[in-house]
Structure formats: C-alpha cells, structure tokens
C-alpha cells in the first residue's frame, strides 16, 4: 500500500485539481486581457503624451517591473482586502498589472518598428492623430508583437501558483491541500504539473507556428 | 495655363537642422495650377522644401502661405505665431504628397488605402469613397488590383496606387519627391505616364523634385535650380535645359543628362 504512486489518490485528487485549474485558467485569461489593453495604453502614453503625463506613468511602470510579483500580491492583498471582497479579483488585477509593464515594452518595440514613412503618409493624408494610431500604427505594431505577447500569456499562466500566498484556491494550492488532508502529495502535485504541461505545450507550439507565419 | 495668383508662397523661409542651416531666407511663389520643378545637387534642400509644405518639418523662420492661409506660422500683431495643429491640418488637407518609397499602409488593401482619408478626413460615405476610388484606380490602371495588399504589388504598381491615394483627397497642390527613383528602370515609364496624364487633365498645382529631366521638361511651366538652399536661377524648362545662364546649372545638367 505504501508504494510511491497510488492510482486511487490520483483519481481522488482530480476533481479538486480541476476546480483549481478553472481558477488558473480564469486568472490567465483575464490577466492577459488586462495586460493586453493596459499595456497598449501605457505604450501609447509613453510615446505620445506630454512629459507631465508620461513621466509619472514611466515611473510607476518601472517600479512595478522591478519588484517581485509575490511581494505585489501580498502587499495589494494587505492594502485592498478591507475594501475588496474577492481575493481572486485582487490576484487577477495584480497579475494583469504586473504583466502590463512587460507587454507595454513589447508594444513599444512594435510601435518603434513601424517605419516613419507610415506616420508621414498619415500626415500627408491629414489623418487625425487618433485615427493614425488606430488604423495605421497599432495594427502594424501588434502584428510584429503577437508572438511575444503570446509568450507572456504562457508565462502568466505558469505564475498563477504564486496566488497561494494570498490563499486563492488555484490548482497547485488545491494539490497541496489534498496532500495535507490525505498525506499523499506525489499524485496531486504530479498531476498538477502534467496539467500545466498539457495546457502550455500546445499553446507554445501554436505561438511558434504563428511566429513562422508572420515572419 | 498657369494663372498669376500665387497659390503657394514662401516668404523669408529659413530651415536649420541643429546648427546646420539648410534653407536661408528663401522667397518664391507657385501660381495656381502652375507646375514647378526643383532641380539641383544632392543636399541642396529640395526635399526639405516639400516636407515644409507638408508640415513634416517645422519652419525655423519665415512663413509659408497656401491659398492665402498661413500654413505653419502667421504674423499677428507684429509677432510670429504658431498655427494650431487643427488649423494646420485643415490647410494641409489641400496638399497631397507622393513619396519616393510609396509609403502605402501594408495592413490595408489597395482600396482601403485609398478610401481611408476620404472617409475619415473628408467624411465621405463608404460607397461614395469607393466609387471615387474605383475611378481613380482606373485612371492609374490599378483597378484590377483593388483587393490586393501593397506587398503583392511591384514598385511601379505601388507608386501608381500612392498617386491615386493622394488624388482621392482632391488636393490643390501635389508634391512629388523623386517618385520614380526607387523603381526598377522598366517601371519608371508607367508611373511617369500616369503623372503626365494627370498634369494634362487637371489643374492641380505641382511642386516636383525629379532626376527625370525629360519628364521635367514635358510637364513643368517653370524650373528652379537650387544649390546650397538658394535659387541659382529659374525659368521656363526650354531655357533652363537648353541655355542655362549660370555655370553651376550648366555643370549640374552636364552631370545628370
Ligand atoms: N532630419 C534631418 N536632420 C538633419 N539634417 C537634415 C535632415 N533632413 C535633411 N537634412 C540636411 O539638409 C540638407 C538638405 O537635405 P535635402 O534632403 O532637402 O536635400 P535634397 O536636395 O533633397 O537632396 P537629394 O537630392 O539627395 O534628395 C542636407 O544637407 C541634409 O543632410
Ligand atoms: Mg531629396
């Protein structure tokens, strides 16, 4: 009975693991959306807003990027939990904002890679600034950055276990809890790892294919 | 035939990049419907003149007026004031520019490239803008490629689309900066032919920079020879090309012809 692997416990852990996986997935999807949208806004502000606006934004971005996600999670939870009911919401926003700073850099590189001739053609057609961004610059910038954005999404996915520090029942935390209750850790943790692999490996293959197609 | 009313007027125009003065106290006018070609050695400031009219460069000193309206700066109460961006855009809406490297939007089809500004700047309905674009594409011989992407076209084809895109805004002034010099030799003719048609069929004022001397001779009412940011001499093309008065013009023409 004391063999290192028990199928009984593997199957027993599965439901709670899948519950946790749902949270992991939700956090990844929402966090990615937040980072995609805010990252673009930050990149555009840093490129085009007057320095009264762009300097403080740059300061905040650097600060967030230079501090660890775990510290941000604990800190945000400490400060916000009296006002926000859902710890999960706090976790998702922290994750999303943390990755906003990376995605903003990716967008910035993509925006800089759009040739100046494109801006000049837009000026020659008298296109308003906002329309130039929307119809000309952003579509070209995003095309250059899709693979990098996809890789950050995967990386967010793999960082969701850090949510354990604020007690969010994502998959790895549930695996721990199952282990604590049954004194069988191996099966639950192994399965959690396999589920991560099963989700991120095909996604990264997809991104590599996208990369090739865009190149 | 050009009229005598100045359409585009350079008054005491100065342009420096850093400490390097490229244009110094330049004065000239282009009449309504007039075609003026700028020639001169590399670095003499021809492109800079066109870019100033398109507001792609900021004037260092002086004024440029378009149809009587100040383009970048105006004199008010004895002071030189910057024209606000919105008003600049309204004035430059009358100016079209075709670039050496076409600068089509690669994320749009040929048709989308052309209707973009008519819809979003002039406020045309999509159907109206597309009908107009069709007619223009027909004129430049590119209607059959209206759903293609710029990357699927040859250089000459891209440039013809770029010409149609500029014309779609009904410009009163068209700026052409060496529009054939990035093309393979066998594609130069098709672009020049299109421009010659447009010159013959419209009364758009044109400011042209080109190394195609035969083309310059055919379409220009006047040729201005530049050197180091100043006008060396100007006159009708026959005069300038056959019997230039200045040694520097003679040397330049001998080198390029
Ligand atoms: N953005 C810039 N920054 C600094 N110097 C510039 C800039 N643009 C142009 N210049 C300088 O201004 C001068 C005139 O350049 P311009 O491009 O107008 O010449 P051009 O007559 O069009 O020459 P070419 O026949 O080679 O196209 C050159 O000495 C050039 O180096
Ligand atoms: Mg030039």
């Amino acid at each position: 009975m004391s063999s290192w692997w028990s199928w009984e416990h593997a199957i027993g852990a599965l439901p709670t693991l899948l519950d946790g996986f749902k949270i992991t997935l939700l956090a990844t999807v929402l966090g990615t959306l937040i980072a995609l949208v805010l990252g673009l806004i930050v990149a555009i502000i840093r490129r085009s807003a007057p320095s009264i606006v762009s300097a403080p934004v740059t300061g905040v971005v650097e600060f967030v990027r230079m501090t660890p996600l775990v510290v941000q999670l604990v800190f945000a939870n400490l400060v916000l939990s009296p006002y926000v009911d859902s710890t999960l919401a706090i976790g998702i926003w922290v994750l999303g904002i943390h990755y906003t700073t990376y995605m903003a850099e990716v967008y910035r590189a993509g925006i800089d890679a759009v040739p100046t001739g494109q801006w000049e053609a837009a000026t020659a057609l008298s296109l308003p600034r906002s329309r130039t961004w929307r119809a000309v610059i952003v579509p070209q910038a995003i095309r250059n950055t899709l693979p990098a954005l996809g890789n950050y999404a995967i990386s967010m996915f793999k960082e969701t276990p850090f949510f354990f520090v604020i007690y969010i029942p994502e998959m790895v935390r549930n695996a721990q809890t199952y282990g604590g209750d049954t004194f069988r850790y191996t099966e639950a943790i192994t399965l959690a790892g396999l589920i991560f692999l099963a989700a991120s490996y095909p996604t990264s293959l997809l991104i590599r294919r996208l990369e090739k197609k865009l190149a | 035939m050009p009229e005598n009313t100045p359409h585009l007027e350079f008054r005491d125009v100065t342009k420096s990049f850093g400490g390097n003065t490229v244009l110094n106290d330049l004065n000239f006018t282009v009449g309504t419907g007039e075609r003026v070609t700028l020639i001169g050695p590399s670095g003499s400031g021809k492109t800079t003149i066109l870019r100033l009219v398109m507001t792609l460069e900021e004037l260092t000193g002086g004024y440029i007026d378009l149809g009587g309206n100040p383009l970048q700066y105006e004199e008010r109460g004895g002071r030189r004031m910057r024209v606000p961006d919105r008003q600049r855009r309204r004035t430059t809406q009358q100016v079209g520019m075709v670039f050496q490297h076409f600068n089509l939007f690669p994320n749009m089809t040929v048709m989308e490239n052309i209707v973009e500004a008519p819809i979003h700047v002039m406020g045309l309905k999509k159907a109206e803008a597309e009908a107009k674009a069709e007619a223009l594409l027909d004129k430049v011989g590119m209607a059959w490629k209206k759903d293609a992407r710029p990357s699927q076209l040859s250089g000459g084809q891209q440039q013809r689309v770029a010409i149609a895109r500029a014309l779609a805004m009904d410009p009163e002034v068209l700026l052409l900066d060496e529009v054939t010099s990035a093309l393979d030799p066998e594609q130069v003719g098709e672009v020049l032919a299109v421009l010659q048609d447009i010159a013959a069929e419209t009364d758009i004022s044109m400011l042209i920079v080109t190394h195609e001397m035969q083309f310059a001779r055919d379409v220009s009412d006047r040729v201005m020879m530049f050197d180091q940011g100043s006008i060396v001499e100007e006159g009708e093309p026959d005069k300038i090309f056959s019997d230039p008065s200045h040694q520097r013009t003679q040397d330049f023409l001998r080198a390029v012809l």
Side-chain angles (χ1 to χ4, degrees):
Chain A
M1 248 324 264
S2 65
S3 69
W4 67 275
W5 181 264
S6 142
W7 284 107
E8 192 187 320
H9 280 296
I11 291 163
L14 211 49
T16 177
L17 289 184
L18 289 180
D19 275 349
F21 186 66
K22 275 184 218 152
I23 289 189
T24 298
L25 218 53
L26 181 74
T28 308
V29 169
L30 293 182
T32 302
L33 280 179
I34 291 170
L36 279 178
V37 174
L38 290 187
L40 183 58
I41 293 172
V42 167
I44 292 176
I45 287 176
R46 289 182 73 172
R47 165 87 184 219
S48 65
S51 58
I52 326 166
V53 181
S54 67
V57 169
T58 301
V60 171
V61 164
E62 289 305 313
F63 178 77
V64 171
R65 203 159 43 145
M66 294 306 161
T67 49
L69 177 63
V70 177
V71 175
Q72 289 166 12
L73 282 168
V74 173
F75 179 78
N77 191 44
L78 217 63
V79 174
L80 294 175
S81 56
Y83 313 103
V84 182
D85 283 340
S86 160
T87 321
L88 181 59
I90 294 175
I92 289 173
W93 275 103
V94 170
L95 186 68
I97 288 172
H98 188 81
Y99 273 88
T100 291
T101 63
Y102 294 110
M103 295 223 182
E105 275 305 298
V106 175
Y107 282 124
R108 189 188 59 75
I111 290 167
D112 287 351
V114 176
T116 45
Q118 294 290 306
W119 291 96
E120 295 184 347
T123 304
L125 292 169
S126 304
L127 286 185
R129 265 315 209 207
S130 56
R131 184 66 199 170
T132 303
W133 276 109
R134 231 181 66 206
V136 179
I137 306 301
V138 170
Q140 293 182 50
I142 286 186
R143 198 187 145 81
N144 301 335
T145 57
L146 272 180
L149 297 177
N151 284 326
Y152 276 126
I154 292 186
S155 149
M156 280 171 93
F157 177 64
K158 291 188 297 185
E159 295 217 297
T160 49
F162 280 132
F163 278 12
F164 84 93
V165 295
I166 55 173
Y167 315 109
I168 294 172
E170 49 66 52
M171 185 165 56
V172 174
R173 183 171 180 83
N174 286 3
Q176 291 269 7
T177 311
Y178 184 85
D181 291 350
T182 59
F183 304 105
R184 298 285 312 196
Y185 287 92
T186 319
E187 293 80 3
I189 291 291
T190 308
L191 275 182
L194 286 175
I195 292 173
F196 266 110
L197 184 67
S200 47
Y201 187 62
T203 314
S204 73
L205 286 185
L206 219 75
I207 291 170
R208 213 170 301 161
R209 264 182 59 184
L210 183 72
E211 227 163 11
K212 274 214 193 90
K213 216 175 131 194
L214 292 179
Chain B
M1 260 285 102
E3 298 168 24
N4 281 333
T5 43
H7 195 182
L8 184 64
E9 185 168 13
F10 274 56
R11 288 188 286 129
D12 308 325
V13 163
T14 300
K15 175 64 190 174
S16 319
F17 293 103
N20 176 23
T21 300
V22 172
L23 302 174
N24 196 6
D25 223 6
L26 185 63
N27 287 279
F28 70 89
T29 62
V30 175
T32 305
E34 192 180 17
R35 280 72 195 254
V36 176
T37 296
L38 312 180
I39 61 171
S42 180
S44 58
K46 307 177 298 288
T47 294
T48 304
I49 289 171
L50 265 53
R51 291 173 60 85
L52 283 168
V53 177
M54 199 67 262
T55 66
L56 296 173
E57 302 286 355
E58 190 82 4
L59 274 177
T60 309
Y63 306 90
I64 302 174
D65 293 345
L66 185 73
N69 297 312
L71 200 64
Q72 291 199 10
Y73 288 85
E74 63 185 320
E75 210 169 353
R76 249 194 289 137
R79 285 184 50 201
R80 187 168 176 270
M81 311 280 279
R82 189 179 190 279
V83 172
D85 285 339
R86 190 177 293 250
Q87 191 185 330
R88 282 181 171 204
R89 223 174 19 245
R90 209 177 311 131
T91 311
T92 54
Q93 212 172 305
Q94 302 160 26
V95 183
M97 184 161 186
V98 181
F99 299 88
Q100 189 175 347
H101 296 284
F102 336 128
N103 299 359
L104 293 177
F105 303 132
N107 55 316
M108 302 183 193
T109 64
V110 164
M111 179 55 88
E112 287 165 348
N113 262 277
I114 297 180
V115 298
E116 173 65 27
I119 291 175
H120 294 279
V121 179
M122 298 167 99
L124 292 195
K125 295 244 167 20
K126 187 161 181 265
E128 271 176 285
E130 286 183 348
K132 187 176 177 190
E134 285 268 5
L136 284 167
L137 282 172
D138 219 31
K139 174 158 298 271
V140 301
M142 291 298 298
W144 60 297
K145 286 285 192 188
K146 66 176 187 215
D147 295 320
R149 299 264 163 180
S151 59
Q152 299 166 314
L153 305 179
S154 73
Q157 291 173 331
Q158 289 187 57
Q159 195 60 298
R160 285 187 279 149
V161 172
I163 291 166
R165 181 174 70 171
L167 292 177
M169 290 294 285
D170 298 328
E172 293 172 10
V173 178
L174 191 60
L175 309 171
L176 304 171
D177 189 8
E178 300 196 28
V179 296
T180 58
S181 48
L183 299 178
D184 292 337
E186 71 271 16
Q187 292 167 2
V188 171
E190 68 192 45
V191 171
L192 293 182
V194 161
L195 289 172
Q196 253 153 350
D197 280 353
I198 292 159
E201 292 167 17
T202 69
D203 54 4
I204 301 173
S205 309
M206 294 186 187
L207 204 48
I208 304 165
V209 177
T210 183
H211 290 148
E212 298 290 333
M213 293 304 159
Q214 188 56 49
F215 170 71
R217 211 170 176 142
D218 292 344
V219 301
S220 312
D221 298 305
R222 184 154 51 106
V223 175
M224 296 202 291
M225 165 73 194
F226 275 83
D227 194 20
Q228 297 179 342
S230 308
I231 301 169
V232 175
E233 67 176 305
E234 59 181 304
E236 292 189 358
D238 281 342
K239 168 79 174 75
I240 299 289
F241 288 124
S242 312
D243 181 23
S245 324
H246 281 257
Q247 186 63 43
R248 251 181 303 177
T249 316
Q250 291 168 16
D251 294 344
F252 172 74
L253 289 173
R254 199 170 307 122
V256 297
L257 285 177

